[in-house]
Amino acid sequence: MDVTFAPSGPLQGRLTPPADKSISHRAAMVAAMATEPVTITGYLTAEDTLSTLEAVRTLGADVQREGTTVKVRGVGLRGPDARGTTIDVGNAGTLMRLLPGWLAGQEGREFRFDGDSSIRKRPVDRIAVPLGRMGARIEATDGRLPPFVVRGTKLHGIRYELPVASAQVKSCVLLAGLLAEGETTVVEPVASRDHTERMLTHLGVPLRRSGNEITIGPVDALTVDDIQVPADISSAAFPIVAAVLVGGSDVTIENVNVNWTRTGILTILRRMGAQIEGEVEQRADGAIPAGEPTADLQVTAGPLRGTVVEGDEIPLAIDELPLVALLGCFAEGETIVRGAEELKHKESDRIATVVDGLRGLGATIEATDDGFVVQGAGGIRGGTIAAHGDHRLAMLGAVAGLASREGVRVVGMEAADVSYPGFGDHVARLQQA
Ligand code: S3P
Protein backbone atom coordinates (compact mmCIF):
# COMPACT_ATOMS: atom_id res chain seq x y z
CA MET A 1 0.00 0.00 0.00
CA ASP A 2 1.40 3.39 -1.04
CA VAL A 3 0.37 6.41 1.03
CA THR A 4 1.37 10.02 0.41
CA PHE A 5 1.94 12.34 3.36
CA ALA A 6 1.65 15.96 2.22
CA PRO A 7 3.39 18.88 3.95
CA SER A 8 1.27 19.53 7.02
CA GLY A 9 -0.14 22.55 8.80
CA PRO A 10 0.37 22.72 12.59
CA LEU A 11 -0.38 19.52 14.54
CA GLN A 12 -2.62 20.09 17.55
CA GLY A 13 -4.41 18.09 20.23
CA ARG A 14 -4.00 15.08 22.48
CA LEU A 15 -3.18 11.50 21.65
CA THR A 16 -2.64 8.18 23.43
CA PRO A 17 -0.30 6.05 21.31
CA PRO A 18 -0.67 2.26 21.24
CA ALA A 19 0.43 0.09 24.16
CA ASP A 20 4.08 -0.73 24.74
CA LYS A 21 5.23 -3.54 22.48
CA SER A 22 8.08 -4.76 24.71
CA ILE A 23 5.87 -4.88 27.81
CA SER A 24 2.97 -6.52 25.91
CA HIS A 25 5.21 -9.36 24.66
CA ARG A 26 6.53 -9.93 28.18
CA ALA A 27 3.06 -9.72 29.76
CA ALA A 28 1.69 -12.44 27.47
CA MET A 29 4.67 -14.69 28.14
CA VAL A 30 4.63 -14.41 31.95
CA ALA A 31 0.83 -14.84 31.95
CA ALA A 32 1.34 -18.07 30.01
CA MET A 33 3.84 -19.22 32.66
CA ALA A 34 1.19 -18.95 35.40
CA THR A 35 -1.67 -21.36 36.00
CA GLU A 36 -4.21 -18.93 37.47
CA PRO A 37 -6.01 -16.71 34.92
CA VAL A 38 -4.37 -13.33 34.25
CA THR A 39 -6.08 -10.30 32.75
CA ILE A 40 -3.91 -7.95 30.70
CA THR A 41 -5.48 -4.57 30.00
CA GLY A 42 -4.27 -2.16 27.35
CA TYR A 43 -2.52 -4.99 25.46
CA LEU A 44 -0.99 -3.96 22.13
CA THR A 45 -3.19 -5.43 19.39
CA ALA A 46 -0.62 -5.05 16.62
CA GLU A 47 0.75 -7.80 14.39
CA ASP A 48 3.86 -8.48 16.48
CA THR A 49 2.10 -8.89 19.80
CA LEU A 50 -0.80 -10.84 18.27
CA SER A 51 1.91 -13.27 17.12
CA THR A 52 2.86 -13.65 20.79
CA LEU A 53 -0.74 -14.47 21.78
CA GLU A 54 -0.82 -17.06 19.01
CA ALA A 55 2.53 -18.47 20.13
CA VAL A 56 1.41 -18.99 23.75
CA ARG A 57 -1.81 -20.56 22.42
CA THR A 58 0.35 -22.97 20.43
CA LEU A 59 2.07 -23.85 23.73
CA GLY A 60 -1.27 -24.75 25.32
CA ALA A 61 -2.41 -21.50 26.97
CA ASP A 62 -6.05 -20.46 26.69
CA VAL A 63 -6.18 -16.90 25.34
CA GLN A 64 -9.36 -14.83 25.02
CA ARG A 65 -9.12 -11.32 23.63
CA GLU A 66 -11.73 -8.57 23.53
CA GLY A 67 -10.22 -5.46 22.02
CA THR A 68 -7.17 -4.59 24.10
CA THR A 69 -8.19 -6.77 27.06
CA VAL A 70 -6.63 -10.21 27.03
CA LYS A 71 -7.40 -13.04 29.43
CA VAL A 72 -4.77 -15.77 29.59
CA ARG A 73 -5.02 -19.07 31.43
CA GLY A 74 -1.45 -20.27 31.34
CA VAL A 75 0.15 -23.69 31.29
CA GLY A 76 2.48 -23.19 34.25
CA LEU A 77 6.21 -22.68 34.24
CA ARG A 78 6.90 -26.31 33.30
CA GLY A 79 3.80 -26.91 31.18
CA PRO A 80 4.39 -25.56 27.64
CA ASP A 81 4.14 -28.13 24.87
CA ALA A 82 3.82 -27.32 21.19
CA ARG A 83 3.18 -30.99 20.26
CA GLY A 84 5.01 -30.92 16.96
CA THR A 85 3.49 -27.63 15.77
CA THR A 86 5.76 -24.83 14.54
CA ILE A 87 5.69 -21.63 16.61
CA ASP A 88 5.16 -18.85 14.06
CA VAL A 89 6.76 -15.61 15.31
CA GLY A 90 5.71 -13.66 12.21
CA ASN A 91 7.86 -10.49 12.14
CA ALA A 92 8.47 -10.37 15.91
CA GLY A 93 12.16 -10.47 16.84
CA THR A 94 11.40 -9.99 20.54
CA LEU A 95 9.11 -13.02 20.57
CA MET A 96 11.70 -15.05 18.68
CA ARG A 97 14.47 -14.20 21.14
CA LEU A 98 12.60 -14.25 24.47
CA LEU A 99 10.35 -17.30 24.21
CA PRO A 100 13.23 -19.80 23.65
CA GLY A 101 14.57 -18.77 27.07
CA TRP A 102 11.48 -20.22 28.75
CA LEU A 103 11.29 -23.25 26.47
CA ALA A 104 14.97 -24.21 26.74
CA GLY A 105 14.30 -25.48 30.26
CA GLN A 106 11.46 -27.85 29.27
CA GLU A 107 13.13 -31.23 29.70
CA GLY A 108 12.67 -33.67 26.84
CA ARG A 109 10.48 -31.37 24.71
CA GLU A 110 11.38 -29.70 21.47
CA PHE A 111 10.02 -26.54 19.90
CA ARG A 112 10.31 -25.48 16.26
CA PHE A 113 10.34 -21.74 15.45
CA ASP A 114 9.81 -19.97 12.13
CA GLY A 115 8.60 -16.58 10.91
CA ASP A 116 8.25 -14.31 7.89
CA SER A 117 10.89 -13.67 5.22
CA SER A 118 12.37 -10.72 7.16
CA ILE A 119 12.67 -12.69 10.42
CA ARG A 120 14.50 -15.43 8.52
CA LYS A 121 17.35 -12.95 8.06
CA ARG A 122 17.64 -12.09 11.77
CA PRO A 123 20.28 -13.89 13.85
CA VAL A 124 19.48 -16.26 16.70
CA ASP A 125 23.06 -17.31 17.46
CA ARG A 126 23.05 -14.52 20.03
CA ILE A 127 20.60 -16.57 22.12
CA ALA A 128 21.85 -19.99 21.01
CA VAL A 129 25.26 -19.33 22.57
CA PRO A 130 24.15 -18.60 26.16
CA LEU A 131 21.30 -21.16 26.09
CA GLY A 132 23.81 -23.73 24.81
CA ARG A 133 26.09 -22.92 27.74
CA MET A 134 23.17 -23.53 30.07
CA GLY A 135 22.77 -27.00 28.57
CA ALA A 136 20.06 -26.54 25.92
CA ARG A 137 20.50 -27.24 22.22
CA ILE A 138 19.41 -24.78 19.56
CA GLU A 139 19.65 -26.03 16.00
CA ALA A 140 19.48 -23.08 13.64
CA THR A 141 19.61 -22.80 9.86
CA ASP A 142 23.23 -22.22 8.83
CA GLY A 143 24.01 -22.21 12.53
CA ARG A 144 22.48 -18.78 13.09
CA LEU A 145 19.12 -18.17 11.41
CA PRO A 146 15.45 -19.24 11.62
CA PRO A 147 13.83 -21.68 11.19
CA PHE A 148 15.36 -23.23 14.29
CA VAL A 149 14.62 -25.89 16.92
CA VAL A 150 14.98 -25.52 20.68
CA ARG A 151 15.67 -28.82 22.45
CA GLY A 152 14.68 -28.40 26.06
CA THR A 153 16.75 -29.88 28.85
CA LYS A 154 17.63 -29.52 32.51
CA LEU A 155 19.47 -26.19 32.57
CA HIS A 156 22.20 -25.02 34.88
CA GLY A 157 22.90 -21.41 35.82
CA ILE A 158 25.74 -19.51 34.15
CA ARG A 159 27.42 -16.14 34.29
CA TYR A 160 27.04 -14.60 30.85
CA GLU A 161 28.70 -11.42 29.63
CA LEU A 162 26.65 -10.02 26.76
CA PRO A 163 28.92 -9.21 23.80
CA VAL A 164 26.55 -6.35 22.84
CA ALA A 165 23.87 -4.60 24.87
CA SER A 166 20.64 -6.40 23.98
CA ALA A 167 17.53 -6.46 26.13
CA GLN A 168 16.24 -9.37 24.07
CA VAL A 169 19.25 -11.58 24.79
CA LYS A 170 19.40 -10.47 28.43
CA SER A 171 15.71 -11.31 28.86
CA CYS A 172 16.10 -14.67 27.16
CA VAL A 173 18.85 -15.70 29.57
CA LEU A 174 16.90 -14.41 32.59
CA LEU A 175 13.80 -16.40 31.58
CA ALA A 176 15.97 -19.50 31.20
CA GLY A 177 17.33 -18.72 34.67
CA LEU A 178 13.82 -19.23 36.09
CA LEU A 179 14.19 -22.94 35.32
CA ALA A 180 17.92 -23.43 35.79
CA GLU A 181 19.70 -25.10 38.67
CA GLY A 182 21.57 -22.47 40.67
CA GLU A 183 21.85 -18.78 39.95
CA THR A 184 22.17 -17.19 36.53
CA THR A 185 23.97 -13.87 36.08
CA VAL A 186 23.84 -11.64 33.01
CA VAL A 187 26.38 -8.85 32.67
CA GLU A 188 25.43 -6.09 30.24
CA PRO A 189 28.11 -3.78 28.79
CA VAL A 190 25.70 -0.84 29.19
CA ALA A 191 22.14 -0.69 30.46
CA SER A 192 19.33 -1.71 28.11
CA ARG A 193 15.56 -1.74 28.62
CA ASP A 194 14.75 -3.46 31.92
CA HIS A 195 11.06 -4.40 31.61
CA THR A 196 11.77 -8.10 32.20
CA GLU A 197 13.64 -7.37 35.43
CA ARG A 198 10.91 -5.03 36.67
CA MET A 199 8.15 -7.49 35.87
CA LEU A 200 9.85 -10.54 37.38
CA THR A 201 10.87 -8.62 40.52
CA HIS A 202 7.27 -7.57 40.99
CA LEU A 203 6.19 -11.20 40.71
CA GLY A 204 8.45 -12.10 43.60
CA VAL A 205 11.19 -13.80 41.59
CA PRO A 206 14.57 -13.64 43.35
CA LEU A 207 16.33 -11.13 41.10
CA ARG A 208 18.94 -8.58 42.04
CA ARG A 209 20.94 -5.98 40.17
CA SER A 210 24.38 -4.82 41.10
CA GLY A 211 25.81 -2.29 38.66
CA ASN A 212 25.52 -3.89 35.24
CA GLU A 213 25.07 -7.42 36.62
CA ILE A 214 21.64 -8.99 37.01
CA THR A 215 21.31 -12.25 38.93
CA ILE A 216 18.22 -14.45 38.97
CA GLY A 217 17.45 -17.61 40.88
CA PRO A 218 15.06 -20.42 39.90
CA VAL A 219 11.44 -20.63 41.05
CA ASP A 220 8.95 -23.51 41.30
CA ALA A 221 6.01 -21.52 39.97
CA LEU A 222 4.99 -17.98 38.97
CA THR A 223 2.04 -16.14 40.44
CA VAL A 224 1.04 -13.33 38.13
CA ASP A 225 -1.22 -10.39 39.04
CA ASP A 226 -3.29 -8.60 36.45
CA ILE A 227 -1.16 -6.43 34.20
CA GLN A 228 -1.79 -2.97 32.75
CA VAL A 229 0.33 -1.89 29.80
CA PRO A 230 1.21 1.81 29.34
CA ALA A 231 1.65 3.50 25.94
CA ASP A 232 4.84 2.86 24.00
CA ILE A 233 7.47 5.62 23.93
CA SER A 234 8.88 4.13 20.71
CA SER A 235 5.49 4.58 19.00
CA ALA A 236 4.97 7.95 20.69
CA ALA A 237 8.30 9.08 19.24
CA PHE A 238 6.73 9.41 15.75
CA PRO A 239 4.03 11.96 16.67
CA ILE A 240 6.50 13.61 19.07
CA VAL A 241 9.06 14.17 16.32
CA ALA A 242 6.31 15.26 13.91
CA ALA A 243 5.21 17.88 16.45
CA VAL A 244 8.79 19.09 16.90
CA LEU A 245 9.33 19.43 13.14
CA VAL A 246 6.01 20.78 11.83
CA GLY A 247 5.93 24.53 12.48
CA GLY A 248 3.31 25.83 14.94
CA SER A 249 2.54 22.38 16.43
CA ASP A 250 1.49 21.83 20.04
CA VAL A 251 0.65 18.21 20.88
CA THR A 252 0.18 16.31 24.14
CA ILE A 253 1.01 12.59 24.15
CA GLU A 254 -0.75 10.81 27.02
CA ASN A 255 0.09 7.94 29.38
CA VAL A 256 3.51 7.22 27.85
CA ASN A 257 5.91 4.84 29.55
CA VAL A 258 8.92 6.94 30.57
CA ASN A 259 11.09 4.20 32.10
CA TRP A 260 14.57 5.77 31.86
CA THR A 261 15.89 2.76 29.93
CA ARG A 262 13.56 3.79 27.10
CA THR A 263 13.66 7.58 27.09
CA GLY A 264 16.93 8.22 25.27
CA ILE A 265 14.98 9.91 22.47
CA LEU A 266 13.61 12.51 24.90
CA THR A 267 17.12 13.28 26.18
CA ILE A 268 18.39 13.60 22.61
CA LEU A 269 15.47 15.79 21.55
CA ARG A 270 15.93 18.11 24.53
CA ARG A 271 19.68 18.34 23.82
CA MET A 272 18.85 19.32 20.24
CA GLY A 273 16.69 22.13 21.62
CA ALA A 274 13.20 20.64 21.47
CA GLN A 275 10.57 21.76 23.98
CA ILE A 276 9.08 18.73 25.76
CA GLU A 277 7.32 19.16 29.10
CA GLY A 278 5.93 16.38 31.23
CA GLU A 279 5.46 15.21 34.77
CA VAL A 280 6.32 11.63 35.60
CA GLU A 281 3.47 9.91 37.39
CA GLN A 282 4.43 6.90 39.43
CA ARG A 283 1.57 4.44 39.31
CA ALA A 284 -0.26 4.29 42.61
CA ASP A 285 -2.63 1.42 41.89
CA GLY A 286 -0.04 -1.31 42.29
CA ALA A 287 -0.97 -2.94 39.00
CA ILE A 288 2.02 -4.43 37.24
CA PRO A 289 4.21 -3.62 35.43
CA ALA A 290 5.14 -2.07 38.74
CA GLY A 291 7.65 0.68 38.68
CA GLU A 292 6.94 1.53 35.05
CA PRO A 293 6.45 5.29 35.30
CA THR A 294 4.19 7.13 32.88
CA ALA A 295 3.82 10.76 31.85
CA ASP A 296 1.80 13.06 29.63
CA LEU A 297 4.28 14.82 27.36
CA GLN A 298 3.57 18.22 25.83
CA VAL A 299 5.58 18.87 22.69
CA THR A 300 5.89 22.10 20.71
CA ALA A 301 7.69 22.82 17.46
CA GLY A 302 10.95 24.76 17.51
CA PRO A 303 14.44 25.11 16.05
CA LEU A 304 17.00 22.33 16.55
CA ARG A 305 20.79 22.04 16.68
CA GLY A 306 22.89 19.03 15.67
CA THR A 307 24.13 16.51 18.21
CA VAL A 308 26.26 13.40 18.70
CA VAL A 309 24.59 10.20 19.89
CA GLU A 310 26.94 7.44 21.05
CA GLY A 311 27.98 5.11 23.87
CA ASP A 312 25.57 4.44 26.72
CA GLU A 313 22.85 6.42 24.99
CA ILE A 314 22.54 3.99 22.04
CA PRO A 315 20.55 1.18 23.74
CA LEU A 316 18.29 3.75 25.40
CA ALA A 317 17.19 5.06 21.99
CA ILE A 318 17.94 2.09 19.73
CA ASP A 319 14.56 1.99 17.96
CA GLU A 320 14.38 5.79 17.65
CA LEU A 321 17.73 6.30 15.91
CA PRO A 322 16.06 6.47 12.45
CA LEU A 323 14.15 9.49 13.78
CA VAL A 324 17.42 11.07 14.95
CA ALA A 325 18.58 10.91 11.31
CA LEU A 326 15.46 12.80 10.22
CA LEU A 327 15.84 15.35 13.03
CA GLY A 328 19.42 15.92 11.87
CA CYS A 329 18.14 17.04 8.45
CA PHE A 330 16.28 19.90 10.16
CA ALA A 331 18.93 20.80 12.76
CA GLU A 332 21.62 23.40 12.47
CA GLY A 333 25.03 21.78 11.89
CA GLU A 334 25.96 18.12 11.94
CA THR A 335 24.25 15.19 13.65
CA ILE A 336 26.25 12.01 14.21
CA VAL A 337 25.14 8.58 15.44
CA ARG A 338 27.97 6.12 16.18
CA GLY A 339 28.41 2.82 18.00
CA ALA A 340 25.06 1.62 16.65
CA GLU A 341 26.07 -1.45 14.56
CA GLU A 342 23.05 -3.20 16.06
CA LEU A 343 20.88 -1.18 13.67
CA LYS A 344 21.96 -3.60 10.94
CA HIS A 345 20.09 -6.43 12.67
CA LYS A 346 16.68 -4.80 13.08
CA GLU A 347 13.54 -5.33 10.96
CA SER A 348 15.68 -4.05 8.10
CA ASP A 349 19.36 -3.06 7.99
CA ARG A 350 18.47 0.32 9.42
CA ILE A 351 21.81 1.95 8.60
CA ALA A 352 21.33 1.17 4.90
CA THR A 353 17.56 1.67 4.66
CA VAL A 354 17.49 4.93 6.64
CA VAL A 355 20.44 6.46 4.80
CA ASP A 356 19.21 5.41 1.33
CA GLY A 357 15.64 6.33 2.18
CA LEU A 358 16.37 9.81 3.51
CA ARG A 359 18.88 10.52 0.75
CA GLY A 360 16.09 9.82 -1.73
CA LEU A 361 14.10 12.56 -0.01
CA GLY A 362 16.93 15.07 -0.47
CA ALA A 363 18.86 14.60 2.79
CA THR A 364 22.62 15.00 3.01
CA ILE A 365 23.44 11.85 4.95
CA GLU A 366 26.31 9.35 4.85
CA ALA A 367 26.33 5.82 6.23
CA THR A 368 29.22 4.73 8.44
CA ASP A 369 30.08 1.24 9.73
CA ASP A 370 28.28 1.92 12.98
CA GLY A 371 25.78 4.70 12.27
CA PHE A 372 25.44 7.78 10.09
CA VAL A 373 26.39 11.44 9.69
CA VAL A 374 23.74 13.98 8.68
CA GLN A 375 24.29 17.57 7.56
CA GLY A 376 21.43 19.83 8.57
CA ALA A 377 19.92 21.67 5.64
CA GLY A 378 16.89 23.33 7.19
CA GLY A 379 14.58 20.49 6.17
CA ILE A 380 14.01 18.03 3.37
CA ARG A 381 12.54 18.21 -0.11
CA GLY A 382 10.41 15.04 -0.22
CA GLY A 383 9.91 12.24 -2.75
CA THR A 384 9.38 8.50 -2.38
CA ILE A 385 10.66 6.15 0.31
CA ALA A 386 10.31 2.36 0.52
CA ALA A 387 9.42 0.82 3.88
CA HIS A 388 11.24 -2.47 3.14
CA GLY A 389 8.66 -4.20 5.34
CA ASP A 390 10.02 -2.26 8.34
CA HIS A 391 7.33 -0.56 10.47
CA ARG A 392 9.63 2.12 11.80
CA LEU A 393 10.86 3.02 8.33
CA ALA A 394 7.27 3.37 7.08
CA MET A 395 6.44 5.79 9.91
CA LEU A 396 9.75 7.63 9.44
CA GLY A 397 8.69 8.30 5.84
CA ALA A 398 5.28 9.52 7.01
CA VAL A 399 6.75 11.98 9.54
CA ALA A 400 9.28 13.11 6.94
CA GLY A 401 6.40 13.84 4.56
CA LEU A 402 4.48 15.97 7.09
CA ALA A 403 7.60 18.09 7.69
CA SER A 404 8.85 18.14 4.06
CA ARG A 405 8.52 20.85 1.41
CA GLU A 406 6.94 18.61 -1.28
CA GLY A 407 5.45 15.60 0.54
CA VAL A 408 6.53 11.96 0.77
CA ARG A 409 5.03 8.85 -0.80
CA VAL A 410 5.64 5.81 1.44
CA VAL A 411 5.72 2.52 -0.44
CA GLY A 412 4.56 -0.29 1.85
CA MET A 413 2.86 1.83 4.54
CA GLU A 414 1.01 -1.28 5.82
CA ALA A 415 4.25 -2.25 7.62
CA ALA A 416 3.26 0.27 10.34
CA ASP A 417 0.65 -2.23 11.57
CA VAL A 418 3.45 -4.29 13.14
CA SER A 419 3.57 -1.87 16.08
CA TYR A 420 1.20 1.07 15.42
CA PRO A 421 -2.15 0.09 13.94
CA GLY A 422 -4.16 3.28 13.35
CA PHE A 423 -1.06 5.40 12.83
CA GLY A 424 -2.58 7.17 9.81
CA ASP A 425 -5.78 7.96 11.78
CA HIS A 426 -3.74 9.42 14.62
CA VAL A 427 -1.86 11.69 12.21
CA ALA A 428 -5.15 12.82 10.64
CA ARG A 429 -6.62 13.53 14.09
CA LEU A 430 -3.70 15.81 15.01
CA GLN A 431 -4.15 17.65 11.71
CA GLN A 432 -7.85 18.30 12.32
CA ALA A 433 -7.80 19.30 15.98
C1 S3P B 1 13.49 -5.09 22.49
C2 S3P B 1 14.84 -4.88 22.52
C3 S3P B 1 15.57 -4.19 21.44
C4 S3P B 1 14.65 -3.43 20.52
C5 S3P B 1 13.43 -4.21 20.14
C6 S3P B 1 12.64 -4.61 21.38
C7 S3P B 1 12.85 -5.79 23.63
O1 S3P B 1 16.27 -5.16 20.68
O2 S3P B 1 15.33 -3.01 19.35
O3 S3P B 1 12.60 -3.44 19.30
O4 S3P B 1 11.61 -5.74 23.76
O5 S3P B 1 13.58 -6.40 24.42
P1 S3P B 1 17.75 -5.68 21.12
O6 S3P B 1 17.61 -6.26 22.47
O7 S3P B 1 18.15 -6.72 20.12
O8 S3P B 1 18.63 -4.47 21.07
Side-chain angles (χ1 to χ4, degrees):
M1 181 180 57
D2 295 3
V3 181
T4 298
F5 292 83
S8 180
L11 302 172
Q12 309 274 349
R14 304 177 75 84
L15 194 70
T16 305
D20 191 279
K21 185 153 82 70
S22 292
I23 298 173
S24 293
H25 281 304
R26 287 157 171 79
M29 287 183 226
V30 300
M33 292 176 193
T35 46
E36 292 299 313
V38 177
T39 301
I40 308 170
T41 46
Y43 190 81
L44 175 65
T45 55
E47 285 172 10
D48 257 20
T49 43
L50 292 177
S51 292
T52 302
L53 295 185
E54 217 31 64
V56 298
R57 249 187 215 128
T58 304
L59 294 171
D62 180 58
V63 180
Q64 308 290 335
R65 182 175 72 82
E66 256 181 58
T68 59
T69 300
V70 179
K71 290 189 194 320
V72 180
R73 184 182 280 275
V75 291
L77 199 54
R78 289 171 179 77
D81 192 346
R83 293 171 214 285
T85 316
T86 297
I87 298 168
D88 180 3
V89 302
N91 191 250
T94 303
L95 171 59
M96 175 175 77
R97 304 231 178 79
L98 265 63
L99 197 58
W102 177 29
L103 302 183
Q106 308 300 326
E107 288 179 59
R109 276 174 239 155
E110 63 176 55
F111 304 90
R112 190 172 190 280
F113 282 76
D114 202 356
D116 69 10
S117 57
S118 138
I119 210 89
R120 283 185 167 200
K121 295 186 198 133
R122 299 186 65 189
V124 289
D125 44 348
R126 49 183 58 200
I127 57 163
V129 169
L131 292 180
R133 282 196 206 159
M134 295 177 86
R137 262 198 15 240
I138 312 289
E139 286 160 18
T141 307
D142 298 330
R144 59 186 299 269
L145 297 171
F148 64 97
V149 175
V150 177
R151 291 192 199 284
T153 187
K154 195 168 174 48
L155 301 177
H156 51 84
I158 57 166
R159 177 186 167 84
Y160 187 64
E161 296 194 11
L162 292 172
V164 288
S166 165
Q168 292 180 353
V169 181
K170 170 178 65 175
S171 301
C172 174
V173 178
L174 292 176
L175 293 182
L178 287 173
L179 288 142
E181 204 175 85
E183 287 191 334
T184 299
T185 298
V186 185
V187 186
E188 31 181 16
V190 292
S192 64
R193 68 190 66 190
D194 64 357
H195 306 301
T196 305
E197 296 93 299
R198 287 179 192 236
M199 202 175 269
L200 292 179
T201 302
H202 184 77
L203 300 180
V205 170
L207 184 146
R208 60 182 191 276
R209 173 180 270 275
S210 162
N212 278 353
E213 293 193 16
I214 306 123
T215 299
I216 192 168
V219 291
D220 292 330
L222 267 192
T223 308
V224 180
D225 305 339
D226 290 348
I227 301 173
Q228 294 178 14
V229 185
D232 195 325
I233 180 90
S234 295
S235 297
F238 292 96
I240 288 173
V241 169
V244 168
L245 295 181
V246 174
S249 296
D250 185 346
V251 167
T252 299
I253 311 285
E254 296 174 326
N255 189 35
V256 188
N257 180 223
V258 285
N259 173 333
W260 73 272
T261 61
R262 295 290 300 283
T263 51
I265 184 63
L266 300 182
T267 314
I268 295 164
L269 274 164
R270 288 187 174 121
R271 195 163 69 232
M272 294 180 86
Q275 296 300 314
I276 303 174
E277 310 292 336
E279 288 298 314
V280 171
E281 297 153 24
Q282 202 71 38
R283 298 162 70 94
D285 56 9
I288 64 169
E292 294 283 359
T294 58
D296 291 351
L297 301 173
Q298 192 201 357
V299 188
T300 46
L304 300 175
R305 55 185 169 268
T307 190
V308 179
V309 181
E310 60 187 340
D312 292 7
E313 205 161 49
I314 296 294
L316 312 183
I318 187 73
D319 294 335
E320 292 68 67
L321 295 177
L323 283 166
V324 174
L326 177 65
L327 289 161
C329 300
F330 289 77
E332 201 185 305
E334 195 169 66
T335 295
I336 302 173
V337 170
R338 58 178 162 238
E341 301 89 337
E342 275 298 294
L343 287 177
K344 294 180 182 164
H345 305 295
K346 298 297 173 190
E347 286 82 332
S348 64
D349 170 350
R350 285 191 183 147
I351 295 184
T353 54
V354 167
V355 168
D356 292 350
L358 290 181
R359 207 183 272 154
L361 304 180
T364 307
I365 178 167
E366 295 291 335
T368 60
D369 277 352
D370 62 353
F372 37 76
V373 180
V374 194
Q375 307 300 331
I380 51 165
R381 184 193 63 228
T384 298
I385 189 169
H388 295 283
D390 182 338
H391 53 133
R392 301 205 198 277
L393 207 66
M395 291 185 278
L396 177 75
V399 174
L402 301 176
S404 69
R405 292 188 292 277
E406 297 176 7
V408 171
R409 184 166 67 101
V410 181
V411 178
M413 192 61 213
E414 68 280 0
D417 291 347
V418 157
S419 62
Y420 201 148
F423 172 77
D425 294 343
H426 275 189
V427 169
R429 206 201 295 168
L430 294 180
Q431 289 176 313
Q432 279 155 20

